[in-house]
Amino acid sequence: MHQEYQYSFEKLKVWQNARALTLEVYQITEKLPPNEKFGLTDQIRRAAISISSNLAEGSSRITSKDQAHFSNMAYSSLMELLSHFYLAFDLNYIDKDIFENVKQKINEISNKLNALRNYQLKRN
């Protein structure tokens, strides 16, 4: 049997972390109030999905500058996600432990995204 091909974004630890965070976000948002289904729940999920999606899309770009642009977009979505989680915490939809766990994972992804973007910009 041969090894399954991996696309470049699949090899990125930051993409793997963003993917795992998205799965966790879906589990957390399942427990948000039903009246938030088309509000905060939808916004949180879209922001989470955008992180890994932008990394995947950026990996297909030819120039480092274009790749860095999509890494920056992923970072923007990550910050949007954090802001949404602050609101969910403020509204008592999630407890402090959940908030702090998500924020810690966001911090880790943030550091990796910044490192990736800086690497991409230096390659120009």
Side-chain angles (χ1 to χ4, degrees):
M1 223 114 247
H2 67 280
Q3 182 75 10
E4 184 178 323
Y5 179 79
Q6 271 194 314
Y7 291 94
S8 60
F9 71 87
E10 293 175 295
K11 299 173 189 174
L12 292 172
K13 186 68 175 163
V14 67
W15 179 83
Q16 295 167 11
N17 292 155
R19 181 178 171 210
L21 178 60
T22 301
L23 293 176
E24 188 171 339
V25 161
Y26 266 74
Q27 293 169 348
I28 293 167
T29 55
E30 278 291 315
K31 297 175 179 115
L32 294 184
N35 65 313
E36 287 292 353
K37 183 175 182 174
F38 299 109
L40 190 57
T41 299
D42 189 50
Q43 290 294 319
I44 288 173
R45 288 177 173 185
R46 286 175 187 265
I49 291 166
S50 288
I51 301 162
S52 58
S53 297
N54 276 301
L55 287 168
E57 186 172 353
S59 73
S60 71
R61 301 303 167 130
I62 295 170
T63 69
S64 295
K65 184 178 178 183
D66 280 345
Q67 291 171 358
H69 170 73
F70 281 92
S71 294
N72 193 58
M73 296 295 290
Y75 181 82
S76 297
S77 295
L78 185 67
M79 293 300 100
E80 180 183 359
L81 180 64
L82 177 58
S83 180
H84 293 327
F85 266 94
Y86 267 106
L87 181 58
F89 178 69
D90 292 343
L91 291 169
N92 294 313
Y93 292 163
I94 59 171
D95 65 28
K96 187 175 184 177
D97 288 340
I98 291 172
F99 175 78
E100 288 179 353
N101 178 53
V102 168
K103 187 172 182 190
Q104 185 251 334
K105 290 176 181 177
I106 287 172
N107 289 342
E108 291 173 13
I109 293 169
S110 172
N111 290 335
K112 285 181 172 65
L113 277 174
N114 283 326
L116 176 62
R117 187 180 63 221
N118 289 337
Y119 169 77
Q120 290 164 332
L121 290 172
K122 287 178 184 171
R123 282 191 352 218
N124 267 344

